[in-house]
Amino acid sequence: MWEDFKSQFILNFVDDGRWHYLANGLLVTLKLTFFSVLLGLVLGFCIAMIRNIHDNTGKLKIPNFLCNLYLTVIRGTPVVVQLMIIYFVIFGSVRIDKVLTAILAFGINSGAYQAEIFRSGIQSIPKGQMEAGRSLGFSYLETMTRIIMPQAVKNVVPTLLNEVITLLKETSIAGYIALEDLTKGGDIIRSRTYSAFMPLIAVALIYLVMVRLLEFAAKKVERRLKKNEK
Amino acid sequence: MKNDYSQSPLISVRDLQKSFGDHKVLNGITVDIAKGDVVCVIGPSGSGKSTFLRCLNRLDEPTGGEIIFDGVNICDPSTDIDLHRQKMGMVFQQFNLFPHMNILRNLTIAPMALQKKSKEEAEGYAMELLERVGLANRAKDYPLQLSGGQQQRIAIVRALCMKPEVMLFDEPTSALDPEMVGEVLEVMKELASEHMTMVVVTHEMGFAREVASRVMFLDGGDFLEENAPEEFFSNPQNDRLRDFLSKVL
């Protein structure tokens, strides 16, 4: 039993340096997650602002329409389909870096969800805050950036970290465009060694550890933000 | 000399109307407010008194009439309302301090950003005012660490830090525990004694009687009666006012 386990372990991870598939894959997964979250953050923030300005002032009709279209399309279709459309259709004839393509796809996808998170964060701030800012002479935009957003962002940090966790797991479909992320790395080992158990369980465990670390960080951040309040 | 009628009024409200959809809240209010006036606005709930006050700095957008402030019709869409709001301090029922900033920052953010005051200047003036309301020792605290009465006194100071020409008070003591009402009214009394122009929507009849230079009665969106406080309370003319006073006094 133990001997069997040991030989399987050596076959899957040590021989030919196969652990490199997992290590390199993990790096790609982390890179994808990090930059997609950043892109999504920028997109989500801008969209939430545009929609909020529209809802409160009636301005920005066309940008608001485009935002709603974007949200409908992105949230109404599977992310794997979006990824393939971006890779095979939009960038079908130009060869650009696969990692970049994936970051674009996941970032655009995440932006739609982060936009909703920001929006609910803005709506959670009592309307007296906007009135207080305006009554002092701040414009709508100044009140938004100086008074509303700092409070809203603080409120949504825990939810945003959840989105990071979701995204980390979602990037496991990057293999669809032959990108060697963590999941694909495990799959490559499986196809070389014809044993599924070890590589796939290893991949699952690595994801689990990453998610737990993020959850731990989220709790820490949440506690620190709470402490600042009082 | 409290009222300086040699000049044109500081705020001149002409036929001010406000509707929310089909619901008419203000049916044409006309009133002049002179420099140094302390106008208390009273009336039953739903009478439009808060809406009237909020229209004065266009937090509620009037649907008709005009408001001349400092010689400018601020209801004109082409006026920069943000600029005029700097000269109209406002105090809310719910205080509305910025909970993510400490007290000193609450007081200096607007003077520094909008009037380009230096940090030293803004903080110096803020501390001076805090001293006067007895809260200088709380400058580094956050709003939620303070009691309601303290928060409201800070909110008054926040508005004063902009050196406004008029102060608007929207039921400033209605959200306070009874034992904290006094400390806020005390600050307002002091302001009145320094000839600050004030418009106060309130249920505090004692305050109106003692401090106001004029009392206005609104009911059902109509401006029904106004008078100096003694006359107003001892010899009300309008039936609805008499009815109202009999209930609240």
Side-chain angles (χ1 to χ4, degrees):
Chain A
M1 175 73 186
W2 171 245
E3 278 306 307
D4 197 35
F5 184 86
K6 202 170 142 193
S7 67
Q8 277 289 313
F9 187 89
I10 289 169
L11 171 68
N12 279 298
F13 302 127
V14 181
D15 285 356
D16 296 338
R18 291 199 176 108
W19 62 274
H20 280 275
Y21 287 116
L22 296 184
N24 294 338
L26 176 61
L27 277 183
V28 171
T29 292
L30 291 178
K31 217 195 288 178
L32 277 185
T33 308
F34 181 76
F35 289 106
S36 304
V37 165
L38 278 191
L39 177 58
L41 210 59
V42 174
L43 279 172
F45 187 87
C46 293
I47 289 165
M49 284 295 274
I50 290 171
R51 295 187 72 203
N52 204 272
I53 291 172
H54 173 81
D55 290 354
N56 284 291
T57 65
K59 288 178 196 161
L60 302 179
K61 278 209 172 64
I62 293 166
N64 182 61
F65 171 78
L66 292 175
C67 287
N68 282 329
L69 186 69
Y70 161 82
L71 292 178
T72 309
V73 171
I74 296 299
R75 300 201 301 162
T77 55
V79 59
V80 62
V81 177
Q82 293 162 19
L83 175 68
M84 291 200 290
I85 288 176
I86 287 184
Y87 184 67
F88 293 113
V89 180
I90 296 175
F91 293 120
S93 49
V94 275
R95 280 296 81 162
I96 73 162
D97 184 39
K98 271 185 211 158
V99 177
L100 202 65
T101 319
I103 287 172
L104 220 53
F106 288 119
I108 289 173
N109 178 268
S110 181
Y113 293 94
Q114 294 192 41
E116 289 301 293
I117 293 171
F118 276 122
R119 198 164 126 96
S120 69
I122 292 170
Q123 281 169 347
S124 73
I125 306 301
K127 93 179 185 321
Q129 291 290 307
M130 173 58 79
E131 291 184 345
R134 295 306 304 273
S135 78
L136 286 167
F138 284 115
S139 68
Y140 177 83
L141 214 62
E142 283 169 327
T143 311
M144 227 29 209
T145 52
R146 288 170 180 276
I147 291 156
I148 308 294
M149 282 323 279
Q151 297 182 64
V153 167
K154 213 163 152 179
N155 283 355
V156 300
V157 163
T159 327
L160 278 179
L161 283 168
N162 259 330
E163 169 64 18
V164 177
I165 290 172
T166 307
L167 197 63
L168 174 83
K169 291 182 287 179
E170 251 173 16
T171 58
S172 62
I173 58 165
Y176 272 87
I177 59 168
L179 192 59
E180 294 182 12
D181 72 322
L182 178 58
T183 306
K184 187 72 177 176
D187 201 44
I188 291 172
I189 297 176
R190 185 189 57 81
S191 68
R192 299 278 154 83
T193 62
Y194 297 107
S195 67
F197 180 82
M198 279 263 172
L200 292 183
I201 295 297
V203 165
L205 278 176
I206 294 172
Y207 277 114
L208 188 62
V209 169
M210 292 293 124
V211 168
R212 292 297 295 168
L213 281 176
L214 280 170
E215 280 172 348
F216 178 73
K219 279 221 181 75
K220 274 251 145 125
V221 171
E222 210 173 328
R223 214 168 296 153
R224 270 201 54 180
L225 289 178
K226 280 233 174 77
K227 212 163 65 189
N228 269 353
E229 198 91 319
K230 294 207 168 183
Chain B
M1 190 183 70
K2 202 160 189 185
N3 296 340
D4 186 1
Y5 286 112
S6 59
Q7 294 176 335
S8 56
L10 181 61
I11 304 176
S12 180
V13 181
R14 293 279 160 266
D15 192 30
L16 181 68
Q17 295 162 43
K18 171 70 183 173
S19 333
F20 293 101
D22 286 339
H23 180 53
K24 230 167 172 220
V25 185
L26 296 177
N27 309 313
I29 308 260
T30 297
V31 65
D32 283 343
I33 295 164
K35 219 169 158 50
D37 260 348
V38 177
V39 179
C40 281
V41 185
I42 66 167
S45 67
S47 59
K49 54 193 190 307
S50 273
T51 306
F52 166 69
L53 189 81
R54 291 163 54 86
C55 278
L56 291 183
N57 68 351
R58 275 175 60 192
L59 273 189
D60 280 342
E61 202 66 51
T63 40
E66 50 187 36
I67 299 166
I68 317 290
F69 173 62
D70 258 356
V72 180
N73 178 12
I74 58 169
C75 291
D76 189 329
S78 66
T79 42
D80 183 357
I81 188 64
D82 295 335
L83 222 55
H84 288 89
R85 282 187 182 137
Q86 293 184 25
K87 296 182 257 174
M88 309 173 106
M90 185 151 192
V91 176
F92 301 87
Q93 190 176 343
Q94 300 293 343
F95 332 134
N96 296 342
L97 294 176
F98 307 132
H100 59 303
M101 303 171 184
N102 69 22
I103 300 301
L104 197 57
R105 186 72 185 131
N106 262 279
L107 303 182
T108 55
I109 180 170
M112 283 169 66
L114 297 171
Q115 297 176 334
K116 305 295 168 222
K117 294 264 168 63
S118 70
K119 193 173 154 104
E120 292 71 35
E121 195 185 353
E123 289 190 345
Y125 189 54
M127 287 309 294
E128 197 180 300
L129 291 177
L130 277 181
E131 200 78 60
R132 282 173 47 191
V133 299
L135 290 170
N137 58 331
R138 310 306 298 266
K140 296 287 175 198
D141 288 335
Y142 283 81
L144 296 181
Q145 295 170 307
L146 273 58
S147 73
Q150 291 171 329
Q151 287 190 55
Q152 193 62 303
R153 283 188 277 158
I154 299 289
I156 295 173
V157 171
R158 178 175 67 180
L160 289 176
C161 278
M162 293 294 284
K163 301 191 172 145
E165 290 172 26
V166 56
M167 288 281 286
L168 311 175
F169 293 85
D170 189 3
E171 303 197 24
T173 57
S174 297
L176 295 175
D177 290 337
E179 76 269 24
M180 292 170 183
V181 171
E183 62 191 68
V184 172
L185 293 182
E186 209 47 53
V187 173
M188 292 168 64
K189 255 181 235 174
E190 204 183 309
L191 263 185
S193 71
E194 291 159 12
H195 310 304
M196 170 61 81
T197 312
M198 295 161 69
V199 184
V200 186
V201 171
T202 186
H203 293 293
E204 298 291 333
M205 297 303 151
F207 176 82
R209 189 186 290 231
E210 189 185 339
V211 182
S213 56
R214 300 155 62 190
V215 187
M216 278 175 76
F217 177 64
L218 259 64
D219 189 16
D222 297 309
F223 176 21
L224 294 177
E225 184 164 341
E226 83 142 286
N227 219 326
E230 283 121 79
E231 268 305 284
F232 184 91
F233 287 106
S234 60
N235 189 17
Q237 301 300 310
N238 186 282
D239 285 342
R240 273 142 85 186
L241 173 57
R242 245 176 291 180
D243 183 48
F244 176 72
L245 287 178
S246 73
K247 283 177 192 150
V248 297
L249 287 181

